[in-house]
């Protein structure tokens, strides 16, 4: 452990964590083997010219994660990576009721087999870069939701994601074709929406047009629009995309698809003014299930968020190298 590369003045991570990360990497890479004795706290402090309490904090963290053990009056020994409790970093794009379902599905399946930390990049590649810089090397696995601001250049966040060890990365909710060998549990947004609409062809037969209300500031994948457009082309229905729900004048014979609940409420209010009946004069489809939509008898298209979390956890625990398409379905109700 004489390599001074464990110290990086530009690294925002506290020095004890830098030391712990360095030692953990050596153990994971078999540079330090089970049973091997480590430098004592005093020896490490003198050799690397760092404070004794700094080394003590680093060793304490390594003990808490199972990498090393201490033997009274003898010193610190490598426990071995096989005995170390796995550490997983979940990086979500945002927090929402749906993301909570993914999280709980993941945590339930992981159980006590690993320690899980959660961070959020809020659609920002800059924030993701900071998260990675502060945590690189600290985890056995990284699970990332790669949704970013639609104005963000793809090359920017791809370059940042590639800083993570690809064999330890799992992409969640969305896969990136540029990262072909990376594990993923994903939605195929274009095909999923096309298949969901096709499953309701009988109900949709009475409508001549489909309108998607898709706010310009939404960070939902644009593939959703492409899937709806393709469905309309194949089924000879008029397709329209609207940015602002406030500009929508509900028309008979049209199905409206909503990304946000707020936009759905705006259009439903206008429908009520015009005495238009949902499921008869006008169709309504909303993304993602809630109790309120069930009570309002709203047709919903959704992925299985809990299953997404469970599948991702199983793949991490078993180190499964695969890309798995998550289940997606339509809940047909009276609004269609």
């Amino acid at each position: 452990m004489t390599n001074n590369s464990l110290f990086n003045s530009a690294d925002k991570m506290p020095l004890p964590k830098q030391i712990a990360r360095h030692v953990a990497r050596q153990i994971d890479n078999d540079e330090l083997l089970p049973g091997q004795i480590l430098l004592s706290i005093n020896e490490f402090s003198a050799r690397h010219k760092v404070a004794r309490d700094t080394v003590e904090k680093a060793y304490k963290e390594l003990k808490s994660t199972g990498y090393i053990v201490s033997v009274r009056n003898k010193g610190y020994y490598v426990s071995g990576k096989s005995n170390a409790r796995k550490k997983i970093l979940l990086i979500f794009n945002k927090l929402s009721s749906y993301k909570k379902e993914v999280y709980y599905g993941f945590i339930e399946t992981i159980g006590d087999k690993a320690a899980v930390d959660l961070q959020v990049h809020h659609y920002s590649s800059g924030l993701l870069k900071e998260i990675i810089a502060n945590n690189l090397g600290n985890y056995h696995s990284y699970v990332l939701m790669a949704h970013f601001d639609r104005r963000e250049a793809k090359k920017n966040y791809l370059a940042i994601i590639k800083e993570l060890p690809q064999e330890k990365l799992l992409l969640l909710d969305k896969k990136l074709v540029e990262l072909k060998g990376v594990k993923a549990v994903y939605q195929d947004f274009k095909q999923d929406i096309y298949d969901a609409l096709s499953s309701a062809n009988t109900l949709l037969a009475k409508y001549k047009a489909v309108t998607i209300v898709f706010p310009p500031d939404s960070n939902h994948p644009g593939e959703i629009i492409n899937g709806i457009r393709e469905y309309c082309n194949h089924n000879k229905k008029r397709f329209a995309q609207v940015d602002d729900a406030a500009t929508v004048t509900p028309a008979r014979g049209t199905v409206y698809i909503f990304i946000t609940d707020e936009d759905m409420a705006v259009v439903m209010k206008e429908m009520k003014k015009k005495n238009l009946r949902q499921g008869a004069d006008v169709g309504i489809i909303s993304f993602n299930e809630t109790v309120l939509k069930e009570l309002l008898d709203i047709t919903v298209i959704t992925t299985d968020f809990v299953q997404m979390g469970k599948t991702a956890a199983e793949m991490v625990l078993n180190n499964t190298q695969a890309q798995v398409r998550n289940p997606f379905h339509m809940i047909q109700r009276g609004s269609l």
Side-chain angles (χ1 to χ4, degrees):
M1 291 187 302
T2 59
N3 187 348
N4 287 323
S5 65
L6 76 164
F7 307 112
N8 182 356
S9 59
D11 198 329
K12 296 180 180 178
M13 183 183 295
L15 187 53
K17 288 188 174 293
Q18 289 191 49
I19 295 171
R21 175 177 66 183
H22 179 80
V23 176
R25 281 177 176 170
Q26 289 186 310
I27 296 172
D28 284 336
N29 295 333
D30 295 323
E31 296 170 30
L32 291 172
L33 300 175
Q36 187 171 341
I37 191 168
L38 301 178
L39 295 175
S40 71
I41 290 176
N42 288 333
E43 289 171 334
F44 195 106
S45 173
R47 180 173 298 187
H48 294 286
K49 296 181 173 57
V50 294
R52 188 182 184 283
D53 67 332
T54 298
V55 183
E56 191 171 7
K57 289 177 182 177
Y59 277 20
K60 184 177 181 180
E61 179 169 330
L62 288 163
K63 282 181 63 179
S64 70
T65 53
Y67 276 106
I68 67 174
V69 294
S70 60
V71 180
R72 187 177 178 82
N73 298 324
K74 289 189 176 182
Y76 293 89
Y77 292 82
V78 176
S79 174
K81 60 183 178 181
S82 61
N83 295 323
R85 191 181 183 207
K86 282 186 179 248
K87 291 182 67 181
I88 302 168
L89 181 61
L90 276 177
I91 309 174
F92 280 8
N93 57 307
K94 68 174 182 178
L95 293 178
S96 68
S97 58
Y98 313 119
K99 296 302 189 295
K100 287 179 183 177
E101 291 183 30
V102 178
Y103 178 78
Y104 292 138
F106 191 90
I107 293 297
E108 178 186 343
T109 305
I110 289 293
D112 60 359
K113 301 181 184 70
V116 180
D117 293 332
L118 173 66
Q119 296 211 30
V120 183
H121 64 67
H122 299 291
Y123 297 98
S124 166
S125 64
L127 187 51
L128 175 65
K129 185 175 181 66
E130 185 176 323
I131 290 171
I132 291 176
N134 290 337
N135 293 282
L136 189 60
N138 291 345
Y139 293 88
H140 298 87
S141 297
Y142 301 85
V143 180
L144 169 66
M145 285 188 176
H147 295 293
F148 295 92
D149 191 304
R150 292 170 65 190
R151 296 164 294 184
E152 183 86 58
K154 196 173 190 179
K155 64 179 181 180
N156 291 346
Y157 60 78
L158 274 175
I160 295 166
I161 293 171
K162 287 178 180 178
E163 293 177 13
L164 290 167
Q166 303 296 280
E167 72 278 4
K168 296 183 178 181
L169 175 62
L170 185 146
L171 296 173
L172 192 59
D173 200 35
K174 176 184 179 181
K175 67 176 180 178
L176 298 168
V177 295
E178 294 83 358
L179 303 177
K180 294 181 180 178
V182 172
K183 300 185 289 289
V185 183
Y186 67 96
Q187 295 187 63
D188 185 338
F189 295 96
K190 178 181 178 181
Q191 193 62 47
D192 285 342
I193 188 71
Y194 180 90
D195 291 346
L197 292 173
S198 297
S199 71
N201 270 338
T202 301
L203 288 173
L204 289 168
K206 60 179 175 284
Y207 301 105
K208 304 301 181 185
V210 178
T211 294
I212 171 75
V213 182
F214 201 96
D217 59 351
S218 169
N219 287 308
H220 286 78
E223 294 98 317
I224 293 172
I225 298 171
N226 297 334
I228 298 170
R229 181 185 287 110
E230 186 169 308
Y231 173 81
C232 290
N233 289 340
H234 288 176
N235 291 276
K236 297 181 172 55
K237 297 183 186 295
R238 295 190 305 277
F239 168 82
Q241 177 188 342
V242 177
D243 294 340
D244 186 355
T247 67
V248 173
T249 301
R252 282 184 173 82
T254 299
V255 174
Y256 294 93
I257 302 178
F258 300 98
I259 299 294
T260 72
D261 296 351
E262 293 81 2
D263 286 344
M264 181 176 69
V266 168
V267 174
M268 288 180 69
K269 186 176 179 180
E270 289 300 309
M271 287 171 50
K272 187 175 182 180
K273 289 179 182 178
K274 294 180 174 295
N275 294 318
L276 295 173
R277 299 164 298 160
Q278 68 178 40
D281 303 317
V282 174
I284 294 178
I285 301 175
S286 179
F287 265 79
N288 302 327
E289 173 72 316
T290 65
V291 174
L292 182 60
K293 291 172 190 176
E294 182 180 2
L295 292 173
L296 293 175
D297 208 20
I298 301 296
T299 296
V300 170
I301 44 179
T302 184
T303 196
D304 189 332
F305 291 105
V306 174
Q307 185 59 52
M308 181 183 291
K310 289 182 176 180
T311 302
E314 289 168 357
M315 290 176 64
V316 169
L317 290 174
N318 299 323
N319 196 27
T320 304
Q321 296 293 326
Q323 293 189 336
V324 179
R325 183 178 171 188
N326 201 59
F328 191 94
H329 60 278
M330 175 182 282
I331 304 173
Q332 297 180 8
R333 296 196 178 113
S335 70
L336 201 60

